[in-house]
Amino acid sequence: MDSGDRDNPHIPYRDFHDEASRPVLSRGHDYPSSYELQAHRHRRGQLLYASTGTLAVTTPQGSWLAPSERAVWIPATTPHAVRMIGTVSTRSVYVDRVVAEPLGDTCRVIAVSPLLRALLVAAVDVPPAYDFDGRDGMLMALLVAEVARAATIPLALPLPTDRRLASRCSHFLEQPRMTESIDHWAAGLGMHRRSFTRLFRRETGMSFAQWRQQACLLAALPRLGAGEAVTAVALDLGYESPASFSTMFRRALGRPPTFYRA
């Protein structure tokens, strides 16, 4: 993120614990289905976890998806918007810069282990002025340590900075389909296939096929959460059959699409 993002007065701060002296704080909230939090930022880093439902987090650098058993780490001052897929109950942990360094300075989706899940649930009941050297302080310290060691899960959709490629990606996201090919995109940008694949990976850190699949996954979850049939979603996204769509879905998220259908 550049300094313009950090200092942009049009992206407000949403800080709930400005006066708190403790380095790690937690808060829970319940949201109805399809609720959206407009772009905002925090002075502390935020770990955002949905104990129910699914979260879609969007920043200037891309989108991150957190279904059950996943959470999103959002570094301090990163502008982000959040969309709820299904009824969502969140557990947020706000981490001061003093102790946030091991958690990284880029957004990422992490796996939530049973221990981390229990810590996230328990942390919500810890008072803001907890005893740093007591049981609550140890709980918060262990929580941060578990986040630092958690595995990163590839549920991101990075957006390119190259102007022409960014425009093409944005257009694709309006109606993603698995049938679109590298050759079609390369021809549309007036590039050779090899040059296009090199540019795409350099700009997004992913292959075109990986990025296309992630885009379709991000498009599918809100529709499933709204109650649409798996078959209709699969065919609209260009999959040959609901079975091939379900295979992709289970491989990416560990559960079938019916699990996320309202």
Side-chain angles (χ1 to χ4, degrees):
M1 181 194 343
D2 61 28
S3 61
D5 284 333
R6 288 194 299 269
D7 301 331
N8 188 339
H10 302 296
I11 302 176
Y13 282 102
R14 290 170 60 94
D15 290 311
F16 308 108
H17 303 295
D18 265 351
E19 303 304 318
S21 60
R22 301 302 186 263
V24 186
L25 301 158
S26 184
R27 176 186 174 99
H29 209 291
D30 295 324
Y31 296 97
S33 181
S34 301
Y35 189 86
E36 295 190 21
L37 293 173
Q38 299 301 312
H40 63 282
R41 50 194 173 147
H42 305 284
R43 292 181 178 86
R44 297 172 181 245
Q46 179 187 18
L47 182 74
L48 186 55
Y49 167 68
S51 58
T52 62
T54 298
L55 298 164
V57 177
T58 302
T59 77
Q61 288 73 44
S63 298
W64 284 261
L65 190 67
S68 60
E69 301 175 11
R70 305 287 186 261
V72 183
W73 168 245
I74 307 167
T77 73
T78 300
H80 60 283
V82 184
R83 178 159 48 93
M84 315 300 162
I85 301 172
T87 301
V88 173
S89 181
T90 63
R91 301 292 183 269
S92 288
V93 179
Y94 301 92
V95 186
D96 191 86
R97 293 176 183 270
V98 175
V99 295
E101 185 175 351
L103 308 186
D105 58 2
T106 58
C107 286
R108 63 188 180 110
V109 177
I110 66 167
V112 176
S113 67
L115 174 57
L116 180 54
R117 185 185 309 110
L119 291 169
L120 287 165
V121 172
V124 173
D125 295 325
V126 172
Y130 59 83
D131 180 1
F132 188 79
D133 295 318
R135 179 261 185 189
D136 290 339
M138 289 187 289
L139 186 153
M140 291 304 205
L142 179 58
L143 193 159
V144 173
E146 284 298 299
V147 174
R149 69 187 297 272
T152 298
I153 306 298
L155 286 177
L157 192 70
L159 299 177
T161 57
D162 178 87
R163 182 180 56 81
R164 292 193 305 155
L165 186 57
S167 176
R168 186 68 186 83
C169 287
S170 296
H171 180 72
F172 177 78
L173 291 175
E174 294 176 3
Q175 191 173 4
R177 289 185 62 82
M178 286 296 292
T179 51
E180 293 208 19
S181 67
I182 290 176
D183 292 330
H184 177 70
W185 279 48
L189 295 174
M191 302 176 67
H192 293 296
R193 178 188 175 97
R194 183 174 296 179
S195 298
F196 171 81
T197 56
R198 283 200 300 261
L199 173 67
F200 199 93
R201 185 173 288 278
R202 185 172 68 245
E203 287 283 320
T204 66
M206 306 172 73
S207 71
F208 174 78
Q210 291 170 329
W211 190 92
R212 181 184 60 188
Q213 177 177 291
Q214 290 289 83
C216 287
L217 191 62
L218 284 166
L221 273 166
R223 296 180 60 180
L224 293 169
E228 292 192 42
V230 173
T231 298
V233 174
L235 297 180
D236 281 353
L237 292 174
Y239 282 86
E240 294 181 357
S241 67
S244 61
F245 171 70
S246 296
T247 297
M248 177 280 296
F249 207 97
R250 186 184 291 272
R251 186 180 300 119
L253 299 183
R255 297 181 184 274
T258 50
F259 178 83
Y260 296 95
R261 186 168 178 265

